[in-house]
Amino acid sequence: MHILITGAAGFLGQRLLHRLVDRGELCGQPISRFTLVDQSEAAVPDAAGIAFDSHALDITAPGAWDSVLDGRPDVIYHLAAVVSSAAEADLDLGMAVNFDATRALLEGCRARELSATRLVMASSVAAYGGDLPETLDDMTALQPQNSYGAQKAMCELLINDYSRRGLVDGRVLRLPTIVIRPGRPNAAASSFASSILREPLNGEEAICPVPREQPLFVMSPGKVVEALVHGAEVDGEALGKFRAFMLPGITVSVAEMLAALGQAAGDEAVARVRHAPDPRIAAIIASWPARFDTAKADRLGFAGDDDFTQIIDAFVAEHY
Amino acid sequence: MHILITGAAGFLGQRLLHRLVDRGELCGQPISRFTLVDQSEAAVPDAAGIAFDSHALDITAPGAWDSVLDGRPDVIYHLAAVVSSAAEADLDLGMAVNFDATRALLEGCRARELSATRLVMASSVAAYGGDLPETLDDMTALQPQNSYGAQKAMCELLINDYSRRGLVDGRVLRLPTIVIRPGRPNAAASSFASSILREPLNGEEAICPVPREQPLFVMSPGKVVEALVHGAEVDGEALGKFRAFMLPGITVSVAEMLAALGQAAGDEAVARVRHAPDPRIAAIIASWPARFDTAKADRLGFAGDDDFTQIIDAFVAEHY
């Protein structure tokens, strides 16, 4: 079992890599080799009996995929992407990395007749937009209101068509907002969703820019990684007529998140969250869908978090 | 008012061209110039005071759009496409013509800062697919089950994103099945829908390969052309958060179509239709959605046919 991970130096890529190394197998086959791709060389774990090739690669360069696809990976995790703010700031960069490089990856598989290769791509809640219903489902239109979401939605269509034609065995998982991310606050509009939990747990202050009643659709990093593992193992045919679908996040309000924080770390932790409404961020977050009927993912055996307490407990268990 | 029409030699392109020449104006401006593009030179009508440039152009060639976009058209009708059977037979050709050439057209507009240019593209009912509800609406997902539909859906996302970014003023009309097309039967699965009316009206036999109760979502050529005209005239902002939507076809069963034929041309015309079920064609047609709530198009003032009798009467008035 040879696994290619793109975006392997990133938060999700590294977590996935370590989880797979711990497992030692995927799709019932022992893992013998990883090929890792990112802008800079991804860190390689210590693991006896597994070969690692870590490439620093500009995936937008012509022929960039040749060297890694010649190794004929059995499973490809395509996580490399320009994030939404960068794709919005630079249309050409977003198209080149998020769309053209994905298309070149598909073409590289096609040229090598890697029709049985399982290609797992991460898509996003950002692909949704427009006049959305209260609760979304697997047949809700993708009408993205940002270039990142448009590029991901185009990739979904392409991967579905290449899969339908038997050129590759694709599966696209739309990720909920990942909470709790480790590290520091960043420029993402969703940064607060991790920050208002992570910083108080560290004894630090955090700012909440959205109303307490704001609902979010979230999934823990651990469950996202399990979904990526399952995304490779699930039977492609079982995905039915479209290869992309939303993962089973859970819907929680900011108030519920903070109540769970209080249970885990006491009222003094909750008191470290300062409520300072930011209309710009509040508007962006309010435009994100927060309620999904994820019937397809449920049917396929993808599992989300039980509740928000579980998400906090998992973070505490891992980091403290 | 300078109008560019791609696919100008085709059935719709020629009808649109003649309709616009008859009108003499579009968006309240007198039409002074047409630029026509197709694989072979499109026929040019006789019209005093209007300049015509008819180009035979391979729109997949690098820089193909330069010569026509340098003329800075105010309105672009992008009708050029590889049809569904050809796109299914040749993925590279379909991607090149249906997707890459559309992207190059958008990039050409962007490079020339044609942000006010109104780009009207024809999309298709073929972009729908998957586990569809009984009645589709403006928020039903596009999960195409053919490469043509996937390419059109990708173009919709791209045109929407370029419009949202203010790089062009796009509007994409998803066309119902066009009935009654003139001419002869062809290889299209939908060919019978025109054939079972047109041939009997001509005193000829026709074959109906689908059950009498099969519903279809149809629009007459005349109403499609009126929709293309209106598609340029409608205010782009009024289209809301997504620039693509279904046109208001009408839902009719084969039995209702034949009853209308009988009213117009008598029982002897209906008797010329031989019912010879073809499971392959019947399956394709049965997979096409036939019922739509076209709220957005209705609100924007797009008008369909009143009933099927009107469609037949219009065809008879035009051709006999």
Side-chain angles (χ1 to χ4, degrees), chain B residues 136-221:
Chain B
L136 287 69
D137 64 28
D138 293 315
M139 285 307 291
T140 302
L142 299 187
Q143 302 189 344
Q145 302 302 308
N146 59 87
S147 292
Y148 174 80
Q151 291 148 13
K152 286 289 184 186
M154 287 164 59
C155 288
E156 290 191 6
L157 288 160
L158 208 56
I159 289 174
N160 190 63
D161 202 45
Y162 274 61
S163 298
R164 188 187 59 79
R165 296 181 77 111
L167 301 172
V168 70
D169 186 357
R171 35 295 293 285
V172 184
L173 316 185
R174 295 180 192 139
L175 307 190
T177 298
I178 301 178
V179 172
I180 304 169
R181 285 179 177 269
R184 304 299 305 165
N186 62 29
S190 61
S191 180
F192 81 91
S194 288
S195 195
I196 60 170
L197 305 158
R198 184 185 57 221
E199 269 66 281
L201 286 168
N202 282 332
E204 296 168 27
E205 280 223 337
I207 292 169
C208 180
V210 306
R212 286 166 213 259
E213 58 274 16
Q214 174 66 50
L216 292 165
F217 194 67
V218 303
M219 198 171 201
S220 66

Side-chain angles (χ1 to χ4, degrees), chain B residues 38-50:
Chain B
D38 212 311
Q39 287 180 284
S40 56
E41 258 185 50
V44 167
D46 235 357
I50 302 183

Side-chain angles (χ1 to χ4, degrees), chain A residues 5-293:
Chain A
I5 304 178
T6 80
F11 159 59
L12 267 187
Q14 280 288 309
R15 276 195 80 121
L16 174 65
L17 173 61
H18 283 269
R19 179 71 187 100
L20 290 171
V21 166
D22 285 348
R23 272 180 131 243
E25 61 92 23
L26 188 65
C27 306
Q29 304 282 327
I31 299 170
S32 54
R33 182 174 171 194
F34 281 99
T35 300
L36 309 178
V37 167
D38 212 311
Q39 287 180 286
S40 56
E41 259 185 48
V44 167
D46 236 356
I50 301 183
F52 293 92
D53 295 304
S54 191
H55 298 260
L57 206 64
D58 173 7
I59 60 173
T60 68
W65 295 115
D66 288 348
S67 59
V68 291
L69 290 179
D70 282 346
R72 306 186 71 80
D74 302 295
V75 172
I76 300 173
Y77 284 105
H78 183 40
L79 307 178
V82 161
V83 298
S84 57
S85 54
E88 199 59 26
D90 187 339
L91 176 60
D92 296 320
L93 178 68
M95 284 296 290
V97 175
N98 294 344
F99 179 72
D100 291 319
T102 302
R103 181 176 175 186
L105 179 61
L106 288 166
E107 280 294 300
C109 290
R110 178 187 179 199
R112 288 164 185 81
E113 298 183 346
L114 298 177
S115 57
T117 291
R118 296 182 170 199
L119 170 65
V120 184
M121 192 186 81
S123 184
S124 168
V125 71
Y128 290 98
D131 300 318
L132 291 168
E134 179 67 20
T135 300
L136 287 69
D137 65 27
D138 293 313
M139 284 309 291
T140 302
L142 299 187
Q143 301 190 344
Q145 301 302 307
N146 58 87
S147 293
Y148 174 80
Q151 291 149 12
K152 285 290 183 184
M154 287 164 59
C155 289
E156 290 190 6
L157 288 159
L158 208 55
I159 289 174
N160 190 63
D161 202 43
Y162 275 60
S163 299
R164 190 188 57 80
R165 296 181 77 109
L167 301 172
V168 70
D169 186 358
R171 34 301 287 287
V172 184
L173 316 185
R174 295 179 191 139
L175 308 190
T177 298
I178 300 179
V179 173
I180 305 167
R181 283 180 178 270
R184 306 298 307 164
N186 62 30
S190 61
S191 178
F192 80 91
S194 288
S195 194
I196 59 171
L197 305 159
R198 183 185 58 220
E199 270 67 282
L201 286 167
N202 284 331
E204 297 168 27
E205 279 222 340
I207 292 169
C208 180
V210 306
R212 286 167 214 260
E213 57 274 18
Q214 174 66 49
L216 293 164
F217 194 66
V218 303
M219 200 173 200
S220 65
K223 291 294 182 188
V224 169
V225 166
E226 288 311 313
L228 289 168
V229 170
H230 190 58
E233 296 199 319
V234 74
D235 177 24
E237 289 298 311
L239 272 68
K241 291 180 176 165
F242 203 67
R243 294 299 187 109
F245 53 91
M246 191 73 202
L247 288 181
I250 56 173
T251 303
V252 284
S253 68
V254 168
E256 288 166 330
M257 291 165 68
L258 294 177
L261 173 65
Q263 280 188 319
D267 289 348
E268 66 276 20
V270 179
R272 293 188 192 111
V273 178
R274 192 155 59 81
H275 291 269
D278 179 327
R280 193 186 63 84
I281 292 179
I284 294 172
I285 301 296
S287 77
W288 293 1
R291 288 180 182 83
F292 286 87
D293 172 0

